[in-house]
Amino acid sequence: MATTLMRNTAPREHPGRYYGFMAAVAVGAVVIAALTAAQAGSPDTGWFSAPFALWLTAGLALFAELRPARWAGLGMSPIAMISLTYVYSTMVTWGFVPALIVQSAAMMLLYVQLGASLWRSVFNLSQIGIALCAAWWTWTGIAGGEWTASLTQVAGLLAAGMVWSVVSTAQVSLAMKMRAGGSWADHFWAWFRSEWALRATLTAISPLLAVAASTSWWLVAVSAIPIFSVYRILQTAARREEQAERDPLTGLLNRKGFQQAVEAKLVDAGETNTAVTVMILDLDRFADVNSALGHDVGDKLLLELADRFLADKPLGKQIARLGGDEFAFAWSELDGMTDPLECAREIRARLDKAIVIDDVSIEIDGSVGIVVYPDDGKDFQTLFRHADIAMDESKKRAGSYARYAPEFDHHSPERLILLGDLRRALDHPDAPGVNLFYQPQVCLATGEVIGAEALLRYHHPERGMVNPAEIIETAEHSSVMRMLTERVVDIALRQLRCWNDAGYRLRMAVNVSVRDLQSPEFTDYLTERMDAYGVDASRLQLEITESALMADPRRVVDNVQCLSDLGLGISLDDFGTGFSSMQHLRRLPVTEIKIDKMFVTTLIDDPDNAAIVSSTIDLGRALDVAVVAEGVEDEKVRKQLEDWGCHAGQGWHFAKPMSADDFDRWLHLHRGNS
Ligand code: C2E
Ligand code: MG
Ligand code: MG
């Protein structure tokens, strides 16, 4: 709300009606002011032969707006308009026209400083012009005549000041209603409540000033002192208010100040259909700097960073330190922001150079979360929460920045509902919904089916089939993952037993998640289930993805080693898509590499992917681990892989993932054909 009056934008809906209203006020002001001026006539004191005291009053009105007092108790207007008290006294001592000129000049001075657009300045000059006419009519209606400071005249002047405020507020409230919606009365009262005390004070001073102006210039000069005191009190209060919105260490905005600044931007952006970008930067390992080098150095580092963010081309219109090692930035399209990712790169670029403090060179790094209004949220709270989530995601990926995406949000209402439903489906061993499909893995040289990959299928009672990747992402951050994997392992082992009993010597590949690999209990569960179904460990293959290995490498590596010691095969899934495939190959007891389908499906047409696949097969041979290609979609790819010496393939060319019954039928047919 705070900047409503100060905005240069027009509302998105019915801008024509809004501008029409502004124009009507402007035309109305000219007509009413002309009529009022005609009625008021020339001032008795004359135009240029008026006493110096009146000229001084007019001059002080302009002087008061040279550095306009900010109004800390701001409800809607952040400016106090101290000059009004001089305008009222000019009106009663010199006349309407001089008062109108003084008021217009003082306000023009104010609007120029506020950077108001032309139409906004014209509207405001017009509406306060009309307010002054109303004040003049009130004054002449009650008292009028030469200023003698009689009781009726003082009452008339006070009433005129009140009418001025009411008429001005009434017009602005109408503009507000057109701009922001809501009821006119609500806007009127909101404004009145926040402004009445200041307006009443300025009005109450004006009779004293009028007495001074009609007596001598030095009395006018002396009476400027209490007015200056009011000005100082307002400035001090405004400064306090501003300090409450600043971070004491860096002087940047704090969280509260940032919120206010961004909310004002969102109102403008909403009305102009433009975008706003909000970013959160979190420094990496800042706590280490504090504990190793002391808080003094930590503070200096934050100060240096704040300087860098403000230097040259400041990073964004609003920069804040949210506390600790977190900074926030906001840009809007209205400020000239174009590409949000470019902004993020700019932030990161300022971290590139090491910071030298007390001869110690400190390398600093950080992760940036990006959100854009209106795509990623409509209000500050949502945007801020999503920026935080994006920042976490960028940290997790060890990337430098990430734009928010709903799938990062493991706590969105839809996900929480999905998680609850999944938990219910897993609570009872016989509850329907969670099942496995099986996709064959085929030896490329002989065409023999060597095994199957078990792939999760969840049929939600309302949503139908849910994408397995979404389920894993949702469940992975909760205890449901453990229940899910246990169910998957149980079904897969039972199925393996059935195939064994039917005379098929197959192996089963099961995907495991990060969470499973972090606890040693998973190993115990697997051993217990393999015993229960009488399945040999060598028949089971665990598919581990690289992201799973990134989470807590040491613990994961220990557990994988235990599983391998049991005799299970360890397959590195989606090979080539992560950051540190090679490192994992060395650290883990890997028995198989699964080349990601991203490289395999297109290897015929894409020489780069072909090179990646063929060299991965060579690597597997050199390290003596099997290589399985996933995503084999046609014969050409199959043949090429066979020529390169790839052991096995999996993909739609052989079969899509199928239910256990379909798999049995397929297996039967395949045996018959081969
Ligand atoms: P993944 O382990 O890499 O599984 C292979 C994915 O590729 C499967 O997707 C499969 O349906 C698909 N696919 C197979 N052949 C082809 C092909 O020729 N072309 C193309 N374009 N795609 C093919 P799905 O079933 O949607 O599973 C997605 C991912 O979800 C899996 O990727 C795995 O990471 C995860 N997942 C599935 N089931 C489980 C599970 O029981 N536990 C865990 N932790 N993760 C699972
Ligand atoms: Mg897999
Ligand atoms: Mg895979």
Side-chain angles (χ1 to χ4, degrees):
M1 273 313 246
T3 64
T4 313
L5 184 74
M6 317 322 296
R7 286 202 308 267
N8 286 326
T9 59
R12 202 173 0 167
E13 279 168 28
H14 311 302
R17 225 174 63 183
Y18 187 69
Y19 283 124
F21 169 68
M22 306 269 128
V25 169
V27 173
V30 172
V31 174
I32 298 169
L35 291 174
T36 311
Q39 183 274 338
S42 295
D44 300 339
T45 46
W47 286 102
F48 298 103
S49 53
F52 179 63
L54 297 186
W55 283 100
L56 186 59
T57 311
L60 285 172
L62 298 189
F63 186 72
E65 301 303 350
L66 265 184
R67 285 190 62 200
R70 302 241 155 214
W71 170 222
L74 48 107
M76 295 178 180
S77 155
I79 297 299
M81 293 202 280
I82 297 268
S83 58
L84 272 184
T85 190
Y86 289 103
V87 171
Y88 297 154
S89 84
T90 303
M91 179 179 82
V92 296
T93 53
W94 202 348
F96 170 74
V97 180
L100 183 65
I101 294 171
V102 170
Q103 172 175 281
S104 305
M107 291 304 142
M108 249 144 64
L109 211 58
L110 177 66
Y111 298 141
V112 167
Q113 291 178 70
L114 291 176
S117 64
L118 183 67
W119 65 262
R120 201 181 82 193
S121 307
V122 169
F123 167 72
N124 277 314
L125 281 177
S126 307
Q127 62 93 356
I128 60 169
I130 293 176
L132 191 68
C133 293
W136 170 260
W137 289 106
T138 310
W139 153 251
T140 48
I142 297 175
E146 194 187 334
W147 174 253
T148 57
S150 69
L151 183 60
T152 332
Q153 280 191 328
V154 172
L157 178 49
L158 294 181
M162 231 173 76
V163 166
W164 190 103
S165 289
V166 170
V167 171
S168 165
T169 307
Q171 297 173 84
V172 176
S173 301
L174 197 56
M176 292 278 299
K177 175 185 148 65
M178 289 178 155
R179 170 189 284 284
S183 91
W184 174 86
D186 284 350
H187 288 299
F188 185 89
W189 284 118
W191 188 298
F192 207 79
R193 264 201 309 276
S194 68
E195 305 268 307
W196 76 267
L198 176 67
R199 296 275 157 258
T201 309
L202 293 178
T203 308
I205 299 173
S206 64
L208 305 176
L209 208 58
V211 171
S214 59
T215 312
S216 65
W217 70 265
W218 55 264
L219 216 50
V220 175
V222 171
S223 57
I225 295 168
I227 295 174
F228 182 68
S229 299
V230 173
Y231 174 89
R232 282 305 298 260
I233 291 167
L234 289 173
Q235 287 297 65
T236 312
R239 209 168 305 129
R240 289 247 167 82
E241 182 114 326
E242 213 180 293
Q243 273 166 4
E245 293 171 1
R246 296 261 156 204
D247 165 46
L249 176 67
T250 59
L252 298 174
L253 291 173
N254 62 16
R255 190 182 289 262
K256 181 176 163 218
F258 187 67
Q259 173 166 358
Q260 275 188 0
V262 172
E263 278 175 348
K265 277 191 183 307
L266 295 185
V267 174
D268 287 346
E271 287 173 354
T272 48
N273 254 342
T274 49
V276 177
T277 295
V278 175
M279 299 194 196
I280 295 182
L281 162 74
D282 189 87
L283 302 179
D284 297 339
R285 296 181 304 278
F286 180 69
D288 295 350
V289 173
N290 268 339
S291 54
L293 303 170
H295 285 261
D296 262 14
V297 174
D299 284 356
K300 282 183 190 161
L301 188 144
L302 292 171
L303 272 169
E304 164 69 24
L305 275 181
D307 281 351
R308 283 192 187 181
F309 295 151
L310 291 167
D312 302 333
K313 225 172 84 211
L315 292 174
K317 278 284 165 172
Q318 260 75 40
I319 308 180
R321 179 177 164 230
L322 304 174
D325 56 354
E326 246 183 22
F327 292 86
F329 307 81
W331 273 272
S332 77
E333 230 176 315
L334 297 173
D335 304 328
M337 179 276 295
T338 45
D339 179 6
L341 295 183
E342 192 50 50
C343 301
R345 280 192 280 273
E346 183 72 41
I347 293 175
R348 294 268 324 170
R350 310 249 169 145
L351 304 180
D352 277 351
K353 227 174 71 205
I355 294 178
V356 181
I357 296 169
D358 303 340
D359 295 333
V360 180
S361 169
I362 306 169
E363 294 292 337
I364 201 87
D365 209 345
S367 311
V368 181
I370 310 165
V371 285
V372 180
Y373 166 90
D375 299 352
D376 303 324
K378 300 270 187 288
D379 58 87
F380 177 80
Q381 298 299 351
T382 313
L383 285 167
F384 203 69
R385 195 168 63 80
H386 288 172
D388 233 8
I389 290 169
M391 191 267 291
D392 268 355
E393 185 68 24
S394 108
K395 257 201 172 36
K396 234 186 283 168
R397 291 194 205 155
S400 44
Y401 50 83
R403 162 99 189 257
Y404 172 77
E407 53 268 30
F408 301 162
D409 192 350
H410 307 291
H411 304 290
S412 73
E414 300 81 47
R415 292 239 165 154
L416 288 177
I417 293 169
L418 177 66
L419 198 62
D421 294 342
L422 189 61
R423 186 189 290 276
R424 268 187 293 282
L426 291 167
D427 263 344
H428 302 286
D430 302 321
V434 177
N435 222 323
L436 292 183
F437 268 30
Y438 304 91
Q439 189 176 30
Q441 296 179 331
V442 177
C443 171
L444 294 178
T446 62
E448 187 195 347
V449 180
I450 54 168
E453 177 175 7
L455 292 160
L456 174 71
R457 292 296 177 261
Y458 172 49
H459 193 273
H460 187 270
E462 279 142 35
R463 284 178 57 181
M465 272 301 178
V466 186
N467 183 348
E470 186 186 345
I471 299 170
I472 304 303
E473 264 167 33
T474 310
E476 209 160 36
H477 300 268
S478 76
S479 56
V480 175
M481 192 64 227
R482 176 98 195 275
M483 296 162 75
L484 185 64
T485 306
E486 291 188 357
R487 174 70 67 88
V488 167
V489 164
D490 190 67
I491 303 175
L493 287 175
R494 195 188 317 143
Q495 187 57 48
L496 195 54
R497 171 86 232 173
C498 291
W499 287 335
N500 271 343
D501 291 347
Y504 295 119
R505 280 191 53 79
L506 298 177
R507 60 169 212 182
M508 182 74 86
V510 174
N511 293 283
V512 287
S513 103
V514 199
R515 230 185 145 86
D516 307 319
L517 295 167
Q518 278 172 334
S519 88
E521 289 148 43
F522 179 60
T523 318
D524 301 339
Y525 179 80
L526 259 182
T527 328
E528 189 266 317
R529 288 285 85 188
M530 283 189 299
D531 282 350
Y533 288 113
V535 170
D536 191 64
S538 63
R539 302 263 120 216
L540 199 60
Q541 192 85 11
L542 291 187
E543 293 199 359
I544 306 176
T545 52
E546 301 212 284
S547 66
L549 296 169
M550 302 285 286
D552 184 356
R554 195 151 20 94
R555 232 167 13 153
V556 172
V557 169
D558 289 349
N559 287 327
V560 172
Q561 186 61 53
C562 274
L563 291 164
S564 163
D565 292 346
L566 286 174
L568 278 84
I570 304 294
S571 177
L572 214 48
D573 204 354
D574 302 344
F575 189 82
T577 56
F579 298 104
S580 42
S581 312
M582 300 298 165
Q583 207 184 344
H584 294 141
L585 263 182
R586 285 182 52 232
R587 276 199 312 200
L588 292 168
V590 173
T591 53
E592 180 186 278
I593 296 171
K594 274 190 92 175
I595 312 176
D596 194 76
K597 55 181 173 289
M598 170 176 134
F599 308 111
V600 177
T601 41
T602 53
L603 70 81
I604 298 296
D605 301 321
D606 187 328
D608 291 346
N609 282 348
I612 291 172
V613 173
S614 70
S615 46
T616 307
I617 295 168
D618 291 345
L619 180 73
R621 197 176 302 122
L623 294 175
D624 199 21
V625 295
V627 178
V628 179
E630 62 174 36
V632 181
E633 291 185 358
D634 53 57
E635 173 55 24
K636 269 193 198 155
V637 171
R638 192 208 66 78
K639 181 78 180 64
Q640 181 59 265
L641 288 165
E642 186 192 350
D643 291 348
W644 280 335
C646 181
H647 300 102
Q650 178 185 340
W652 299 344
H653 175 59
F654 306 107
K656 290 202 169 179
M658 307 166 268
S659 68
D661 288 346
D662 287 345
F663 192 92
D664 283 345
R665 276 190 283 277
W666 180 88
L667 206 54
H668 195 70
L669 271 174
H670 188 84
R671 282 269 164 104
N673 292 340
S674 59

